[in-house]
Each structure stands twice: as structure tokens, then as C-alpha cells.
Amino acid sequence: MNIVLFGPPGAGKGTQSALLVERLSMRHISTGDLLREEIKKSTRLGTEAKQYMDKGELVPDLVIIGMVEGLLKELGERSIILDGFPRTVPQAESLEKMFAGLGRQISKAIFLEVPRNLLLSRLTGRRVCSSCGSVYHVDDKPSKAAGVCDVCGGAVVQRKDDSGDVIETRLEAYEKSTSPLREYFLKKGKFISIDGVGETEAVFGRIQSQLV
Ligand code: AP5
């Protein structure tokens, strides 16, 4: 099974992907996480991507497609969940071509629907472990000890792009470049909209019920 999980920033893609990995042993591919790894390692790709990410803009399609292509070739048979990719129509077209070459196809494109006011509170309150990437929220899901990751003991910090102006730019980029994917996947008969509001477990239940 090859699932595309998409939606606006803060919709809960990373949170739900973690549950899909834990409970259904799917392989998680998050282009946001991959780019942050490249930045950490100070690679050329990371240095280029950082210029866009710090401003909340999308990294150019060719950079992203090249990064994902290499990875897809190494996957073997495993079910995958694509989180944050594709994020534009050209990326979706490239993914379908890459998949065709590998004998895979997109099974379902699951869209997480969350209203804007909730996205803003989720993004401004989000904290992440700088070491293992575990996701927290200052109100809804704080770490047990302030600033310390429950899972690995790493430092829990705020993402640089989770602040005022940058959040606005990310939401604009989503509206302009990513929301057309709804129509794209609808036409392909792959689009499924899920209510992303409510307890994390309730949202997971809604996703799981579509994976049959
Ligand atoms: P990326 O890291 O993919 O960011 P994003 O798409 O903006 O998504 P987020 O990680 O912000 O949100 P999420 O939906 O995963 O929410 P989460 O589960 O963390 O990309 C970052 C940047 O990289 C982009 O801006 C771009 O520059 C670049 N990039 C990446 N991919 C690209 C691509 N394909 N093309 C071009 N550029 C690309 O949840 C958020 C918060 O809400 C957390 O605190 C969580 O605890 C909380 N929460 C989650 N679910 C619930 C719930 N049900 N109830 C209450 N709280 C909840």
C-alpha cells in the first residue's frame, strides 16, 4: 500500500504518520524531515533548502524530486506513507512516473482537513525534539519535564519556521501550490478527505478505517 498523506501545515501529518509506522509498520517518508536532516549535516542540498524553509517557501520541485527518487529505489516491497510529498502538481506527476518505473502506484491520497484557527494554535504551540524528532504541544501534549524529550532525553525546541510571519507564508504556499492537489487526486479517484479535528486517536481511527 502506498499512501499519500497531505494537508496544510500543522494538520497532523507527522503525528498520524508516527502512529501508522508504530501500529501498521509502514515506512514513513517525510520530505520535511529529510530536508531537516540535510540541514543538520550541512550538506549542499541542506544549505540550499534552508534558504527556502526559513522563509516558509517551498523548496524547488527539482530538488525535492531528486531527493525522493533515490530513496524510493531503495524501498523494496514495504508499504509506505508519504508525508509532505507530493506538495505540488508537478511533484505528483513525477511521483506517478517514478512509481510506474518501480511497479508501484498511489493507493490513496488522504487529505487531513483542519480549520485555519486550529492550524495556527497547533503550529505556534508545537515543540519538537531536536534529537529524535518526537512532536509535542505546549498545551495538548507537553513533554513530562519541560524542554526534555520523553523518548530520548534530547532538547525539546520550537521549530524555526513555527513563528508568526513564516507560518503565514507557509499557509499561503499551501493554498497556492498544494491545495490544487485535492482536485488532482479527486480526478484520479484517489482522494479521501478526513476530518483532522479531535483527539489524535480519533483521527487515526478515521484514517485506519480507509486503509482496507
Ligand atoms: P514539513 O516539515 O513537511 O512541514 P508542514 O507540511 O508545514 O507540516 P508540519 O510538519 O508543520 O505539520 P504536520 O501536518 O506534520 O503537523 P504535526 O503532526 O507536526 O515541511 C517544512 C518545510 O520543508 C516546508 O515549509 C518547505 O519549505 C519544505 N518542504 C517539505 N516538503 C516539501 C516538498 N515536498 N516540496 C517543497 N518543499 C518542501 O502537528 C502539529 C502540532 O499539532 C503538534 O504540536 C501536534 O502535537 C499537534 N496535533 C497534531 N494532531 C493533533 C490533534 N488531533 N489534536 C490536537 N493537536 C494535534
Side-chain angles (χ1 to χ4, degrees):
M1 183 160 320
N2 306 299
I3 302 297
V4 169
L5 188 59
F6 75 115
K13 302 179 294 293
T15 301
Q16 295 301 327
S17 295
L19 292 177
L20 287 162
V21 169
E22 183 192 308
R23 312 229 175 124
L24 306 180
S25 300
M26 296 180 83
R27 168 77 194 265
H28 179 209
I29 299 176
S30 155
T31 41
D33 288 349
L34 289 170
L35 291 168
R36 281 184 286 276
E37 272 305 303
E38 296 288 333
I39 293 173
K40 237 190 213 172
K41 289 190 268 175
S42 301
T43 63
R44 220 169 107 184
L45 194 159
T47 308
E48 185 185 353
K50 190 173 184 314
Q51 298 168 37
Y52 297 94
M53 292 168 75
D54 283 353
K55 288 188 273 184
E57 294 169 3
L58 294 187
V59 176
D61 286 339
L62 281 181
V63 176
I64 296 289
I65 291 162
M67 180 176 78
V68 173
E69 192 168 25
L71 197 65
L72 289 180
K73 285 184 185 149
E74 297 163 8
L75 279 178
E77 302 279 298
R78 211 156 150 200
S79 289
I80 56 175
I81 174 112
L82 289 161
D83 158 9
F85 177 86
R87 203 178 287 233
T88 64
V89 170
Q91 289 183 18
E93 290 166 345
S94 294
L95 174 65
E96 289 192 299
K97 277 191 204 132
M98 291 190 274
F99 266 0
L102 296 166
R104 284 183 185 259
Q105 59 171 329
I106 296 169
S107 313
K108 289 173 185 182
I110 297 181
F111 174 74
L112 282 180
E113 183 121 33
V114 176
R116 185 187 162 92
N117 62 335
L118 209 49
L119 294 174
L120 291 174
S121 63
R122 285 186 184 182
L123 289 169
T124 51
R126 173 168 55 190
R127 300 293 181 268
V128 292
C129 174
S130 55
S131 184
C132 74
S134 293
V135 178
Y136 299 92
H137 190 280
V138 285
D139 300 319
D140 294 337
K141 197 190 165 198
S143 55
K144 288 184 189 125
V148 181
C149 178
D150 298 348
V151 179
C152 74
V156 172
V157 298
Q158 185 166 29
R159 251 168 64 173
K160 204 173 170 186
D161 59 352
D162 276 347
S163 61
D165 286 356
V166 184
I167 290 177
E168 280 304 323
T169 308
R170 287 164 65 201
L171 289 169
E172 280 165 25
Y174 162 77
E175 281 304 334
K176 180 168 170 256
S177 306
T178 309
S179 67
L181 284 178
R182 297 172 61 138
E183 190 64 24
Y184 178 90
F185 287 123
L186 197 64
K187 280 189 184 143
K188 305 245 167 199
K190 313 253 170 174
F191 179 78
I192 293 169
S193 181
I194 297 274
D195 180 5
V197 180
E199 294 290 324
T200 299
E201 287 292 340
V203 178
F204 180 72
R206 289 174 210 144
I207 294 177
Q208 200 176 18
S209 70
Q210 297 291 339
L211 302 182
V212 283

